[in-house]
Structure formats: C-alpha cells, structure tokens
Amino acid sequence: MLILGIESSCDECSAAVVDDGKTILSNEIATQIDIHKPYEGVVPEIASRTHTEWISGVVRKALEDSDKTIADIDGIAVTNRPGLIGSLMVGLSFAKGLSLASGKPFIGIDHIMAHLYAAQLERDIEYPFLGLLVSGGHTIISIVRDFDDIEVLGTTIDDACGEAYDKVAKHYGFGYPGGQLIDRLAAKGDPRAFNFPDPSLHKGEHRYDVSYSGLKTAVINQLDQFHVEGYEKSPENIAASFQKAAINMLTKRLFKAVADTGINRVVAGGGVAANSYLRESLENKKNIDIYFPSMELCTDNAAMIAGIGYHYLKRGDRSSLDVTAGSRVAGFRKKYP
Ligand code: KG4
Ligand code: ZN
C-alpha cells in the first residue's frame, strides 16, 4: 500500500510517500526556520500563511521524487493534532480536498504517536517498548503496546524539554532554534561548571513526571547574576551545565520506568531525540536496548505520518470530511501505577 503523508503541525511543511509503512520513497521537508528566525520563535500566523503558500508545491515534489502520481496512491494520512491550529488546518484542508478530488481515503493522525513510530521506518522493533517522546511541545514517557496503543507513565508538568532549550537559548541570545545550538555549544563546555539541580517534584506529582520551568528559571537567573556581578559569561559552560541537568532529569525517570516495568526496549522520538548527550547517555547504558530514529526522522516529517497512517488505513480506519484539527493529544490511556 502506498500512503501519501502530509505534516504541517508547526513550522515544517512536509509531504512523503511511504510503501507498506516501511519503505520511504520520498520525504520532502520544507522548513520555515529562516522565516521565524528574526522573531526567535515560531509565529503561528506567519507559519500558517507560509504553509498555505508551500503545501501544494511540497506535495507535488514528494509525488515526483517517488516517481508516483496521485493515481498510484492508496490513501492519504495527515496530521490533525496536536499542534498550532492554523498550521494544522492547512495540511488537513489540503488532504481533505485531495481525498475528495481523487476519491482516495484519508485518515487524521496524532503527531505524537507518529513520532513514536518514526524509528520503525528504519528497522523492525517488537512491541511493547517504552516510548520517550521529547519535542518542542511534549515530553512523554510511555509504554507503547501497539502503533495505536500508548499508555502514558509520565509527562512534563510545565514546559516541554525542547521548549526549555529554546527559551534558555533565546534569553542568552544563543540564536534560534535553540536546541541544536545549545547542543553544539555544550560540546565545548564543562558540564560541572554550574550545578543546576533536578527540582524535586511536589507531593502528588508523579514520579515519572518531569518539570522544566524551575530549571529554566535557574539557568536564566544565572545570567542576571553575571550582569550584577560582572562575571565573564561562558556560553559553553552554561550550555553544557544546562544540558546535563535537562537530559539527566529525563533519563533518571526513564531508567526508573525500565526498572519498574521490566521493559528494557526503549524507542525515542521528537526533535530532542537528536540531542547528542541524550543519545550518548542511552547508547552507553547497559541493560537498555535503545532505538533512535536518524536525525531527519527525529524532527517533524511526513514520512512518520505516512508510516503510521498505513497501519490505520490497512485496518480500514478512515476519517470523515468533517474531522477537525485539535491542539491536544488524543487517544492515550493514562495509567499511573
Ligand atoms: O519534534 P520537533 O521538530 O517539533 C515539535 O513537535 O515540537 O522538535 C523541535 C524541538 C525544538 O524545541 C528544538 O529546539 C529541539 O526539538 N531540538 C533539540 C535538538 N534538535 C532539535 N533539542 C536538543 N538538542 C538537539 N540537538
Ligand atoms: Zn514534532
């Protein structure tokens, strides 16, 4: 089955053709990074307008690169949640129009589930596994029992991990987007230069939950001290110390989840899964079987949407033309053991 995937939930405008949920025939990703750079963050209104300009060209290119036409396609999979509503609506409306015109079925896909599917485009991974989803919008530790069966163990109680990276980078003037830049700076810094603690969680919050707001504030307050005391600021040391605290917070919870559930297969996904310290920490950990998607499949892309979409469409699942875009994740089971 050939599935055309469409992804426009944030600032990447992407389309892909994937065969049987596995073989990527094309994966066109047009990023708006340069457009949002002057604002040091994604401006939702500009993002959706840009998607409107780009979407038909991106879809056409994905079909051309795969040497297919819409007549060859068996179904269309499109992200319809979660994300920026205006941006999601562009991809979703385009997919509906294409479905209506071509008579091909379409299905709305949850972006988070797709991130956790991404690694499977490159190798076979047996269920169940622990899913570590770390992106600009979400931080979720889960048990994944099937492509559509995700049980959440822990989430962030405030900022997402990637969001903390982006905010720290913005405050220090490191540039945009922050995650990759901090990762690069950190490689040249001393992670022991500053001691940014893992804020212990309040009573009632779950032990697999994380919190990035306290860490972000501590790192930002450090800059104010530089101003007051006139210290020479060391971007590399700040980056390395922040990164160590941000990633260790995550891996500490994950290792606990591995111990508690007895599941040692771990699949990562989302933009922060591209982080070198996270990759190193998990790849060097004994007793864990870790799967990272390649860099291009960590950040937003339509191949993961087409990949997971195949499984829904093969089962006969379809979305109707009145399906809408949603800003939140849906369909997860929540269980706090
Ligand atoms: O999955 P993604 O492309 O979009 C969302 O669904 O949010 O993730 C983007 C996030 C941004 O916050 C970005 O700063 C972060 O992923 N990111 C990284 C790295 N590369 C991207 N964070 C840490 N280290 C990286 N190497
Ligand atoms: Zn994403």
Side-chain angles (χ1 to χ4, degrees), residues 4-6 13-17 26-28 52-70 73 94 98:
L4 171 68
I6 298 177
C13 189
S14 179
V17 178
S26 66
N27 188 20
E28 176 70 14
T52 303
E53 267 176 54
W54 290 3
I55 188 93
S56 67
V58 166
V59 170
R60 189 178 307 124
K61 180 87 170 40
L63 286 169
E64 273 170 19
D65 287 356
S66 65
D67 271 333
K68 304 290 174 197
T69 67
I70 190 69
I73 298 295
F94 193 89
L98 201 55

PDB file of all heavy atoms in Angstrom, residues 4-6 13-17 26-28 52-70 73 94 98:
ATOM      1  N   LEU A   4       0.407   8.523   1.012  1.00  0.00           N
ATOM      2  CA  LEU A   4       0.919   9.893   0.948  1.00  0.00           C
ATOM      3  C   LEU A   4       0.712  10.514   2.325  1.00  0.00           C
ATOM      4  O   LEU A   4      -0.411  10.536   2.832  1.00  0.00           O
ATOM      5  CB  LEU A   4       0.146  10.698  -0.108  1.00  0.00           C
ATOM      6  CG  LEU A   4       0.421  12.206  -0.139  1.00  0.00           C
ATOM      7  CD1 LEU A   4       1.846  12.507  -0.614  1.00  0.00           C
ATOM      8  CD2 LEU A   4      -0.581  12.928  -1.037  1.00  0.00           C
ATOM      9  N   GLY A   5       1.804  10.978   2.943  1.00  0.00           N
ATOM     10  CA  GLY A   5       1.717  11.614   4.262  1.00  0.00           C
ATOM     11  C   GLY A   5       1.849  13.123   4.127  1.00  0.00           C
ATOM     12  O   GLY A   5       2.600  13.603   3.273  1.00  0.00           O
ATOM     13  N   ILE A   6       1.122  13.840   4.969  1.00  0.00           N
ATOM     14  CA  ILE A   6       1.207  15.309   4.973  1.00  0.00           C
ATOM     15  C   ILE A   6       1.338  15.777   6.424  1.00  0.00           C
ATOM     16  O   ILE A   6       0.581  15.334   7.293  1.00  0.00           O
ATOM     17  CB  ILE A   6      -0.042  15.947   4.311  1.00  0.00           C
ATOM     18  CG1 ILE A   6      -0.125  15.516   2.838  1.00  0.00           C
ATOM     19  CG2 ILE A   6      -0.007  17.472   4.434  1.00  0.00           C
ATOM     20  CD1 ILE A   6      -1.359  16.035   2.102  1.00  0.00           C
ATOM     21  N   CYS A  13       6.864  22.170   6.688  1.00  0.00           N
ATOM     22  CA  CYS A  13       5.837  21.814   5.716  1.00  0.00           C
ATOM     23  C   CYS A  13       6.373  20.582   4.997  1.00  0.00           C
ATOM     24  O   CYS A  13       7.380  20.655   4.282  1.00  0.00           O
ATOM     25  CB  CYS A  13       5.654  22.979   4.741  1.00  0.00           C
ATOM     26  SG  CYS A  13       4.246  22.795   3.657  1.00  0.00           S
ATOM     27  N   SER A  14       5.724  19.429   5.209  1.00  0.00           N
ATOM     28  CA  SER A  14       6.336  18.189   4.727  1.00  0.00           C
ATOM     29  C   SER A  14       5.313  17.260   4.089  1.00  0.00           C
ATOM     30  O   SER A  14       4.147  17.203   4.491  1.00  0.00           O
ATOM     31  CB  SER A  14       7.028  17.492   5.913  1.00  0.00           C
ATOM     32  OG  SER A  14       7.621  16.293   5.513  1.00  0.00           O
ATOM     33  N   ALA A  15       5.776  16.534   3.064  1.00  0.00           N
ATOM     34  CA  ALA A  15       4.951  15.501   2.421  1.00  0.00           C
ATOM     35  C   ALA A  15       5.864  14.337   2.078  1.00  0.00           C
ATOM     36  O   ALA A  15       7.061  14.528   1.805  1.00  0.00           O
ATOM     37  CB  ALA A  15       4.268  16.042   1.170  1.00  0.00           C
ATOM     38  N   ALA A  16       5.314  13.115   2.122  1.00  0.00           N
ATOM     39  CA  ALA A  16       6.135  11.927   1.891  1.00  0.00           C
ATOM     40  C   ALA A  16       5.296  10.823   1.273  1.00  0.00           C
ATOM     41  O   ALA A  16       4.081  10.779   1.458  1.00  0.00           O
ATOM     42  CB  ALA A  16       6.708  11.439   3.225  1.00  0.00           C
ATOM     43  N   VAL A  17       5.966   9.947   0.557  1.00  0.00           N
ATOM     44  CA  VAL A  17       5.306   8.735   0.060  1.00  0.00           C
ATOM     45  C   VAL A  17       6.032   7.544   0.681  1.00  0.00           C
ATOM     46  O   VAL A  17       7.267   7.434   0.589  1.00  0.00           O
ATOM     47  CB  VAL A  17       5.341   8.653  -1.483  1.00  0.00           C
ATOM     48  CG1 VAL A  17       4.701   7.352  -1.954  1.00  0.00           C
ATOM     49  CG2 VAL A  17       4.623   9.851  -2.097  1.00  0.00           C
ATOM     50  N   SER A  26       9.859   8.929  -0.726  1.00  0.00           N
ATOM     51  CA  SER A  26      10.225  10.345  -0.730  1.00  0.00           C
ATOM     52  C   SER A  26       9.821  10.940   0.609  1.00  0.00           C
ATOM     53  O   SER A  26       8.900  10.441   1.270  1.00  0.00           O
ATOM     54  CB  SER A  26       9.513  11.091  -1.873  1.00  0.00           C
ATOM     55  OG  SER A  26       8.118  11.109  -1.635  1.00  0.00           O
ATOM     56  N   ASN A  27      10.549  11.988   1.021  1.00  0.00           N
ATOM     57  CA  ASN A  27      10.233  12.664   2.283  1.00  0.00           C
ATOM     58  C   ASN A  27      10.692  14.116   2.143  1.00  0.00           C
ATOM     59  O   ASN A  27      11.806  14.464   2.492  1.00  0.00           O
ATOM     60  CB  ASN A  27      10.951  11.954   3.448  1.00  0.00           C
ATOM     61  CG  ASN A  27      10.517  12.476   4.812  1.00  0.00           C
ATOM     62  OD1 ASN A  27       9.449  13.079   4.955  1.00  0.00           O
ATOM     63  ND2 ASN A  27      11.341  12.248   5.824  1.00  0.00           N
ATOM     64  N   GLU A  28       9.808  14.923   1.588  1.00  0.00           N
ATOM     65  CA  GLU A  28      10.143  16.323   1.298  1.00  0.00           C
ATOM     66  C   GLU A  28       9.852  17.156   2.546  1.00  0.00           C
ATOM     67  O   GLU A  28       8.733  17.143   3.057  1.00  0.00           O
ATOM     68  CB  GLU A  28       9.278  16.774   0.106  1.00  0.00           C
ATOM     69  CG  GLU A  28       9.411  18.211  -0.291  1.00  0.00           C
ATOM     70  CD  GLU A  28      10.768  18.531  -0.935  1.00  0.00           C
ATOM     71  OE1 GLU A  28      11.501  17.595  -1.317  1.00  0.00           O
ATOM     72  OE2 GLU A  28      11.072  19.724  -1.032  1.00  0.00           O
ATOM     73  N   THR A  52       0.257  27.651   3.638  1.00  0.00           N
ATOM     74  CA  THR A  52      -0.703  27.830   2.539  1.00  0.00           C
ATOM     75  C   THR A  52       0.031  28.059   1.210  1.00  0.00           C
ATOM     76  O   THR A  52      -0.359  27.529   0.175  1.00  0.00           O
ATOM     77  CB  THR A  52      -1.642  29.021   2.836  1.00  0.00           C
ATOM     78  OG1 THR A  52      -2.274  28.763   4.082  1.00  0.00           O
ATOM     79  CG2 THR A  52      -2.693  29.211   1.765  1.00  0.00           C
ATOM     80  N   GLU A  53       1.117  28.845   1.285  1.00  0.00           N
ATOM     81  CA  GLU A  53       1.905  29.095   0.070  1.00  0.00           C
ATOM     82  C   GLU A  53       2.627  27.840  -0.409  1.00  0.00           C
ATOM     83  O   GLU A  53       2.764  27.608  -1.604  1.00  0.00           O
ATOM     84  CB  GLU A  53       2.986  30.137   0.379  1.00  0.00           C
ATOM     85  CG  GLU A  53       2.605  31.566   0.089  1.00  0.00           C
ATOM     86  CD  GLU A  53       3.741  32.487   0.527  1.00  0.00           C
ATOM     87  OE1 GLU A  53       4.883  32.292   0.101  1.00  0.00           O
ATOM     88  OE2 GLU A  53       3.457  33.383   1.344  1.00  0.00           O
ATOM     89  N   TRP A  54       3.131  27.066   0.520  1.00  0.00           N
ATOM     90  CA  TRP A  54       4.071  25.993   0.168  1.00  0.00           C
ATOM     91  C   TRP A  54       3.431  24.629  -0.085  1.00  0.00           C
ATOM     92  O   TRP A  54       4.001  23.799  -0.791  1.00  0.00           O
ATOM     93  CB  TRP A  54       5.105  25.811   1.287  1.00  0.00           C
ATOM     94  CG  TRP A  54       6.092  26.923   1.413  1.00  0.00           C
ATOM     95  CD1 TRP A  54       6.141  28.089   0.683  1.00  0.00           C
ATOM     96  CD2 TRP A  54       7.193  26.984   2.335  1.00  0.00           C
ATOM     97  NE1 TRP A  54       7.189  28.862   1.097  1.00  0.00           N
ATOM     98  CE2 TRP A  54       7.863  28.220   2.102  1.00  0.00           C
ATOM     99  CE3 TRP A  54       7.686  26.138   3.331  1.00  0.00           C
ATOM    100  CZ2 TRP A  54       8.978  28.605   2.831  1.00  0.00           C
ATOM    101  CZ3 TRP A  54       8.805  26.525   4.057  1.00  0.00           C
ATOM    102  CH2 TRP A  54       9.448  27.743   3.805  1.00  0.00           C
ATOM    103  N   ILE A  55       2.273  24.376   0.537  1.00  0.00           N
ATOM    104  CA  ILE A  55       1.796  22.988   0.647  1.00  0.00           C
ATOM    105  C   ILE A  55       1.640  22.266  -0.705  1.00  0.00           C
ATOM    106  O   ILE A  55       2.067  21.121  -0.850  1.00  0.00           O
ATOM    107  CB  ILE A  55       0.491  22.908   1.496  1.00  0.00           C
ATOM    108  CG1 ILE A  55       0.118  21.453   1.781  1.00  0.00           C
ATOM    109  CG2 ILE A  55      -0.699  23.591   0.838  1.00  0.00           C
ATOM    110  CD1 ILE A  55       0.652  20.922   3.056  1.00  0.00           C
ATOM    111  N   SER A  56       1.072  22.952  -1.699  1.00  0.00           N
ATOM    112  CA  SER A  56       0.840  22.210  -2.942  1.00  0.00           C
ATOM    113  C   SER A  56       2.161  21.877  -3.633  1.00  0.00           C
ATOM    114  O   SER A  56       2.331  20.778  -4.181  1.00  0.00           O
ATOM    115  CB  SER A  56      -0.118  22.964  -3.873  1.00  0.00           C
ATOM    116  OG  SER A  56       0.490  24.131  -4.335  1.00  0.00           O
ATOM    117  N   GLY A  57       3.142  22.786  -3.560  1.00  0.00           N
ATOM    118  CA  GLY A  57       4.459  22.514  -4.146  1.00  0.00           C
ATOM    119  C   GLY A  57       5.164  21.371  -3.437  1.00  0.00           C
ATOM    120  O   GLY A  57       5.810  20.530  -4.072  1.00  0.00           O
ATOM    121  N   VAL A  58       5.035  21.340  -2.118  1.00  0.00           N
ATOM    122  CA  VAL A  58       5.701  20.294  -1.325  1.00  0.00           C
ATOM    123  C   VAL A  58       5.089  18.922  -1.638  1.00  0.00           C
ATOM    124  O   VAL A  58       5.799  17.929  -1.818  1.00  0.00           O
ATOM    125  CB  VAL A  58       5.602  20.632   0.186  1.00  0.00           C
ATOM    126  CG1 VAL A  58       5.969  19.445   1.050  1.00  0.00           C
ATOM    127  CG2 VAL A  58       6.514  21.817   0.516  1.00  0.00           C
ATOM    128  N   VAL A  59       3.764  18.861  -1.744  1.00  0.00           N
ATOM    129  CA  VAL A  59       3.092  17.588  -2.055  1.00  0.00           C
ATOM    130  C   VAL A  59       3.471  17.137  -3.477  1.00  0.00           C
ATOM    131  O   VAL A  59       3.785  15.962  -3.715  1.00  0.00           O
ATOM    132  CB  VAL A  59       1.565  17.709  -1.893  1.00  0.00           C
ATOM    133  CG1 VAL A  59       0.848  16.483  -2.448  1.00  0.00           C
ATOM    134  CG2 VAL A  59       1.201  17.910  -0.423  1.00  0.00           C
ATOM    135  N   ARG A  60       3.472  18.096  -4.396  1.00  0.00           N
ATOM    136  CA  ARG A  60       3.827  17.751  -5.781  1.00  0.00           C
ATOM    137  C   ARG A  60       5.249  17.184  -5.843  1.00  0.00           C
ATOM    138  O   ARG A  60       5.512  16.176  -6.480  1.00  0.00           O
ATOM    139  CB  ARG A  60       3.708  18.991  -6.679  1.00  0.00           C
ATOM    140  CG  ARG A  60       3.858  18.635  -8.170  1.00  0.00           C
ATOM    141  CD  ARG A  60       3.688  19.829  -9.091  1.00  0.00           C
ATOM    142  NE  ARG A  60       2.437  20.553  -8.861  1.00  0.00           N
ATOM    143  CZ  ARG A  60       2.360  21.853  -8.568  1.00  0.00           C
ATOM    144  NH1 ARG A  60       3.447  22.588  -8.486  1.00  0.00           N
ATOM    145  NH2 ARG A  60       1.198  22.438  -8.377  1.00  0.00           N
ATOM    146  N   LYS A  61       6.159  17.822  -5.094  1.00  0.00           N
ATOM    147  CA  LYS A  61       7.560  17.392  -5.089  1.00  0.00           C
ATOM    148  C   LYS A  61       7.696  15.978  -4.491  1.00  0.00           C
ATOM    149  O   LYS A  61       8.449  15.141  -5.003  1.00  0.00           O
ATOM    150  CB  LYS A  61       8.392  18.402  -4.288  1.00  0.00           C
ATOM    151  CG  LYS A  61       9.860  18.123  -4.166  1.00  0.00           C
ATOM    152  CD  LYS A  61      10.605  18.723  -5.354  1.00  0.00           C
ATOM    153  CE  LYS A  61      12.124  18.728  -5.240  1.00  0.00           C
ATOM    154  NZ  LYS A  61      12.779  17.599  -4.672  1.00  0.00           N
ATOM    155  N   ALA A  62       6.949  15.717  -3.422  1.00  0.00           N
ATOM    156  CA  ALA A  62       7.017  14.385  -2.792  1.00  0.00           C
ATOM    157  C   ALA A  62       6.541  13.303  -3.774  1.00  0.00           C
ATOM    158  O   ALA A  62       7.124  12.220  -3.853  1.00  0.00           O
ATOM    159  CB  ALA A  62       6.173  14.357  -1.520  1.00  0.00           C
ATOM    160  N   LEU A  63       5.483  13.610  -4.532  1.00  0.00           N
ATOM    161  CA  LEU A  63       4.988  12.643  -5.533  1.00  0.00           C
ATOM    162  C   LEU A  63       6.026  12.459  -6.642  1.00  0.00           C
ATOM    163  O   LEU A  63       6.355  11.329  -7.024  1.00  0.00           O
ATOM    164  CB  LEU A  63       3.648  13.105  -6.110  1.00  0.00           C
ATOM    165  CG  LEU A  63       2.437  12.954  -5.176  1.00  0.00           C
ATOM    166  CD1 LEU A  63       1.214  13.683  -5.735  1.00  0.00           C
ATOM    167  CD2 LEU A  63       2.108  11.478  -4.925  1.00  0.00           C
ATOM    168  N   GLU A  64       6.573  13.569  -7.116  1.00  0.00           N
ATOM    169  CA  GLU A  64       7.593  13.499  -8.194  1.00  0.00           C
ATOM    170  C   GLU A  64       8.814  12.710  -7.744  1.00  0.00           C
ATOM    171  O   GLU A  64       9.300  11.840  -8.464  1.00  0.00           O
ATOM    172  CB  GLU A  64       8.040  14.923  -8.566  1.00  0.00           C
ATOM    173  CG  GLU A  64       7.160  15.581  -9.617  1.00  0.00           C
ATOM    174  CD  GLU A  64       7.486  17.066  -9.771  1.00  0.00           C
ATOM    175  OE1 GLU A  64       8.591  17.495  -9.357  1.00  0.00           O
ATOM    176  OE2 GLU A  64       6.619  17.790 -10.278  1.00  0.00           O
ATOM    177  N   ASP A  65       9.310  13.006  -6.547  1.00  0.00           N
ATOM    178  CA  ASP A  65      10.516  12.321  -6.042  1.00  0.00           C
ATOM    179  C   ASP A  65      10.299  10.812  -5.912  1.00  0.00           C
ATOM    180  O   ASP A  65      11.247  10.039  -5.972  1.00  0.00           O
ATOM    181  CB  ASP A  65      10.921  12.869  -4.667  1.00  0.00           C
ATOM    182  CG  ASP A  65      11.526  14.260  -4.768  1.00  0.00           C
ATOM    183  OD1 ASP A  65      11.693  14.755  -5.897  1.00  0.00           O
ATOM    184  OD2 ASP A  65      11.822  14.853  -3.708  1.00  0.00           O
ATOM    185  N   SER A  66       9.050  10.414  -5.679  1.00  0.00           N
ATOM    186  CA  SER A  66       8.779   8.982  -5.521  1.00  0.00           C
ATOM    187  C   SER A  66       8.425   8.335  -6.856  1.00  0.00           C
ATOM    188  O   SER A  66       8.167   7.127  -6.916  1.00  0.00           O
ATOM    189  CB  SER A  66       7.624   8.787  -4.536  1.00  0.00           C
ATOM    190  OG  SER A  66       6.433   9.328  -5.080  1.00  0.00           O
ATOM    191  N   ASP A  67       8.409   9.153  -7.911  1.00  0.00           N
ATOM    192  CA  ASP A  67       8.022   8.641  -9.247  1.00  0.00           C
ATOM    193  C   ASP A  67       6.607   8.102  -9.259  1.00  0.00           C
ATOM    194  O   ASP A  67       6.309   7.121  -9.963  1.00  0.00           O
ATOM    195  CB  ASP A  67       8.985   7.531  -9.704  1.00  0.00           C
ATOM    196  CG  ASP A  67      10.162   8.114 -10.457  1.00  0.00           C
ATOM    197  OD1 ASP A  67       9.997   9.191 -11.054  1.00  0.00           O
ATOM    198  OD2 ASP A  67      11.243   7.499 -10.402  1.00  0.00           O
ATOM    199  N   LYS A  68       5.726   8.705  -8.453  1.00  0.00           N
ATOM    200  CA  LYS A  68       4.320   8.263  -8.404  1.00  0.00           C
ATOM    201  C   LYS A  68       3.422   9.452  -8.738  1.00  0.00           C
ATOM    202  O   LYS A  68       3.841  10.613  -8.638  1.00  0.00           O
ATOM    203  CB  LYS A  68       3.960   7.760  -6.999  1.00  0.00           C
ATOM    204  CG  LYS A  68       4.847   6.644  -6.472  1.00  0.00           C
ATOM    205  CD  LYS A  68       4.613   5.350  -7.200  1.00  0.00           C
ATOM    206  CE  LYS A  68       5.606   4.286  -6.749  1.00  0.00           C
ATOM    207  NZ  LYS A  68       5.698   3.156  -7.667  1.00  0.00           N
ATOM    208  N   THR A  69       2.189   9.122  -9.094  1.00  0.00           N
ATOM    209  CA  THR A  69       1.187  10.174  -9.244  1.00  0.00           C
ATOM    210  C   THR A  69       0.093   9.883  -8.219  1.00  0.00           C
ATOM    211  O   THR A  69       0.089   8.805  -7.602  1.00  0.00           O
ATOM    212  CB  THR A  69       0.542  10.168 -10.649  1.00  0.00           C
ATOM    213  OG1 THR A  69      -0.217   8.955 -10.774  1.00  0.00           O
ATOM    214  CG2 THR A  69       1.603  10.258 -11.743  1.00  0.00           C
ATOM    215  N   ILE A  70      -0.821  10.799  -8.065  1.00  0.00           N
ATOM    216  CA  ILE A  70      -1.885  10.606  -7.070  1.00  0.00           C
ATOM    217  C   ILE A  70      -2.705   9.349  -7.399  1.00  0.00           C
ATOM    218  O   ILE A  70      -3.224   8.687  -6.503  1.00  0.00           O
ATOM    219  CB  ILE A  70      -2.762  11.886  -6.931  1.00  0.00           C
ATOM    220  CG1 ILE A  70      -3.713  11.777  -5.734  1.00  0.00           C
ATOM    221  CG2 ILE A  70      -3.521  12.213  -8.190  1.00  0.00           C
ATOM    222  CD1 ILE A  70      -3.055  11.821  -4.387  1.00  0.00           C
ATOM    223  N   ILE A  73      -1.532   6.298  -5.515  1.00  0.00           N
ATOM    224  CA  ILE A  73      -1.605   6.348  -4.047  1.00  0.00           C
ATOM    225  C   ILE A  73      -2.865   5.630  -3.543  1.00  0.00           C
ATOM    226  O   ILE A  73      -3.942   5.762  -4.111  1.00  0.00           O
ATOM    227  CB  ILE A  73      -1.620   7.833  -3.584  1.00  0.00           C
ATOM    228  CG1 ILE A  73      -0.325   8.543  -4.003  1.00  0.00           C
ATOM    229  CG2 ILE A  73      -1.850   7.967  -2.081  1.00  0.00           C
ATOM    230  CD1 ILE A  73       0.941   8.032  -3.363  1.00  0.00           C
ATOM    231  N   PHE A  94      -5.977  20.622   2.940  1.00  0.00           N
ATOM    232  CA  PHE A  94      -5.388  20.185   1.675  1.00  0.00           C
ATOM    233  C   PHE A  94      -5.648  18.691   1.475  1.00  0.00           C
ATOM    234  O   PHE A  94      -6.049  18.251   0.382  1.00  0.00           O
ATOM    235  CB  PHE A  94      -3.881  20.473   1.656  1.00  0.00           C
ATOM    236  CG  PHE A  94      -3.275  20.336   0.306  1.00  0.00           C
ATOM    237  CD1 PHE A  94      -3.223  21.421  -0.566  1.00  0.00           C
ATOM    238  CD2 PHE A  94      -2.756  19.114  -0.131  1.00  0.00           C
ATOM    239  CE1 PHE A  94      -2.674  21.288  -1.841  1.00  0.00           C
ATOM    240  CE2 PHE A  94      -2.211  18.975  -1.395  1.00  0.00           C
ATOM    241  CZ  PHE A  94      -2.174  20.067  -2.253  1.00  0.00           C
ATOM    242  N   LEU A  98      -7.782  16.889  -1.494  1.00  0.00           N
ATOM    243  CA  LEU A  98      -7.136  15.883  -2.346  1.00  0.00           C
ATOM    244  C   LEU A  98      -7.918  14.569  -2.301  1.00  0.00           C
ATOM    245  O   LEU A  98      -8.088  13.881  -3.323  1.00  0.00           O
ATOM    246  CB  LEU A  98      -5.699  15.666  -1.841  1.00  0.00           C
ATOM    247  CG  LEU A  98      -4.683  15.077  -2.790  1.00  0.00           C
ATOM    248  CD1 LEU A  98      -4.592  15.885  -4.079  1.00  0.00           C
ATOM    249  CD2 LEU A  98      -3.306  15.032  -2.104  1.00  0.00           C
TER     250      LEU A  98
END
